[in-house]
Amino acid sequence: MMYLRYMELEKVSKQLKTLGNRTRLEVFRQLVRFGPAGAPVGVVQNALDLAGSTLTNHLQKLVLVGLAHQERKGTQMICTADFDAMQTMIEYLQEQCCAEIYKDGGE
């Protein structure tokens, strides 16, 4: 069990580090706005006004940590946020909320 918690901590840590870059955070938020169906790379690029190589670099990093996916459909590359990974990350951050509230004076 401890090993699994450590692995989860490592994964969430890498995801948060990746989202710590302003441009990557903007890319991820845009993918979330497009919803589960995602959008073609060109649409993402236009929405964010990014150079193609810049977008590719940031998408690769999001894919590497499991926050996004890319899938070829015909001639288009469709980019999607991984909503399950996002939810897992949020739940990890919330799971211990208020678990050890300190009450001064033993109240």
Side-chain angles (χ1 to χ4, degrees):
M1 182 68 166
M2 257 328 238
Y3 177 75
L4 291 176
R5 293 298 297 152
Y6 175 76
M7 293 306 294
E8 191 173 12
L9 174 63
E10 286 297 307
K11 183 176 184 177
V12 170
S13 175
K14 288 176 184 178
Q15 289 172 334
L16 291 172
K17 181 179 178 182
T18 299
L19 292 175
N21 176 282
R22 180 181 173 202
T23 304
R24 266 194 296 281
L25 180 58
E26 288 177 352
V27 171
F28 183 70
R29 291 187 71 210
Q30 186 63 52
L31 294 178
V32 169
R33 283 193 288 274
F34 285 132
V41 170
V43 174
V44 178
Q45 182 180 357
N46 290 337
L48 296 170
D49 194 28
L50 292 175
S53 60
T54 301
L55 177 59
T56 298
N57 177 51
H58 290 298
L59 283 170
Q60 287 175 346
K61 291 185 177 172
L62 290 168
V63 168
L64 186 64
V65 297
L67 288 173
H69 300 286
Q70 291 182 296
E71 179 183 354
R72 181 159 300 283
K73 289 189 179 178
T75 60
Q76 294 184 320
M77 183 65 75
I78 306 298
C79 304
T80 57
D82 186 321
F83 287 89
D84 290 336
M86 180 179 70
Q87 187 62 39
T88 298
M89 182 175 57
I90 291 168
E91 288 171 2
Y92 182 84
L93 294 171
Q94 290 180 325
E95 107 181 333
Q96 293 297 315
C97 179
C98 306
E100 297 182 24
I101 294 176
Y102 175 74
K103 294 184 180 181
D104 192 23
E107 296 178 26

